[in-house]
Amino acid sequence: MLKFLNQCSRGRGAWLLLALTAFALEMVALWFQHVMLLKPCVLCIYERCALFGVMGAGLVGAIAPKSPLRYGAIAIWLYSAGKGLQLAWEHTMIQLHPSPFQTCDFAASFPSWLPLDKWLPQVFVASGDCSVRQWEFLTLEMPQWLVGIFAAFLVVALLVLIAQPFKPKKRDLFGR
């Protein structure tokens, strides 16, 4: 399996699939916001940023998958998936155990050199409360689904990182 993951990480297809998966999740989030009229909270916005990080990792990896740039893409992937998992877990705990002492901010705080909420307010402006449960599917709330999604991203990223020293076998014409 590790040789297979190493081989996949050296091709554009797997990296583009990673980017496409994150992009699809971003589109679902925007559909929830603009079609179903669910209000994203600050943690939702930060979770979106983590998904954009995973998507960016896929695009960076697809640029030159056989070069050392692949390791940069894996690092971005690991960081974004780990941060997304942390944010989704925090969001889940706020929803499952609401407390007046543990709340989220009113607005997302982005660095002055990257004011995403000013550049794309349709995507990055929070208008909801983190403790409000707005959507459920198979008895799980949206942050609970994101815990599973980010955990899967993180596990696969770790396996791909572990697989890097395992070089795939070169095969000749007769498969030896």
Side-chain angles (χ1 to χ4, degrees):
M1 178 178 82
L2 292 176
K3 288 180 182 181
F4 175 74
L5 288 174
N6 183 296
Q7 184 178 2
C8 287
S9 74
R10 293 174 184 274
R12 282 191 174 83
W15 291 106
L16 290 174
L17 180 62
L18 176 67
L20 181 66
T21 303
F23 179 74
L25 289 168
E26 290 290 349
M27 292 300 103
V28 169
L30 290 174
W31 184 73
F32 280 140
Q33 179 180 354
H34 295 291
V35 176
M36 293 182 63
L37 301 177
L38 302 181
K39 295 180 179 182
C41 66
V42 171
L43 288 174
C44 294
I45 299 301
Y46 292 153
E47 290 157 1
R48 282 184 190 178
C49 291
L51 273 176
F52 274 113
V54 172
M55 184 170 51
L59 295 175
V60 168
I63 290 172
K66 293 181 181 166
S67 75
L69 186 61
R70 178 178 73 251
Y71 292 102
I74 293 171
I76 295 168
W77 185 6
L78 284 167
Y79 176 77
S80 298
K83 193 66 175 173
L85 180 60
Q86 175 193 355
L87 291 164
W89 181 258
E90 179 184 341
H91 195 175
T92 298
M93 291 301 106
I94 288 174
Q95 283 193 348
L96 293 180
H97 311 290
S99 166
F101 304 108
Q102 186 180 13
T103 60
C104 59
D105 297 332
F106 291 111
S109 59
F110 293 106
S112 60
W113 55 270
L114 190 67
L116 295 174
D117 53 340
K118 306 284 188 277
W119 293 346
L120 284 170
Q122 301 87 352
V123 178
F124 294 108
V125 170
S127 59
D129 181 8
C130 294
S131 63
V132 174
R133 298 177 180 194
Q134 300 182 66
W135 179 84
E136 181 182 299
F137 181 66
L138 298 176
T139 71
L140 296 175
E141 302 290 329
M142 195 173 308
Q144 293 169 319
W145 281 103
L146 285 173
V147 166
I149 289 167
F150 281 119
F153 277 139
L154 186 61
V155 166
V156 173
L158 286 170
L159 288 173
V160 168
L161 178 65
I162 291 167
Q164 291 310 298
F166 293 88
K167 304 284 187 224
K169 288 183 181 177
K170 297 210 186 262
R171 295 188 173 203
D172 63 5
L173 182 61
F174 300 104
R176 291 186 224 165

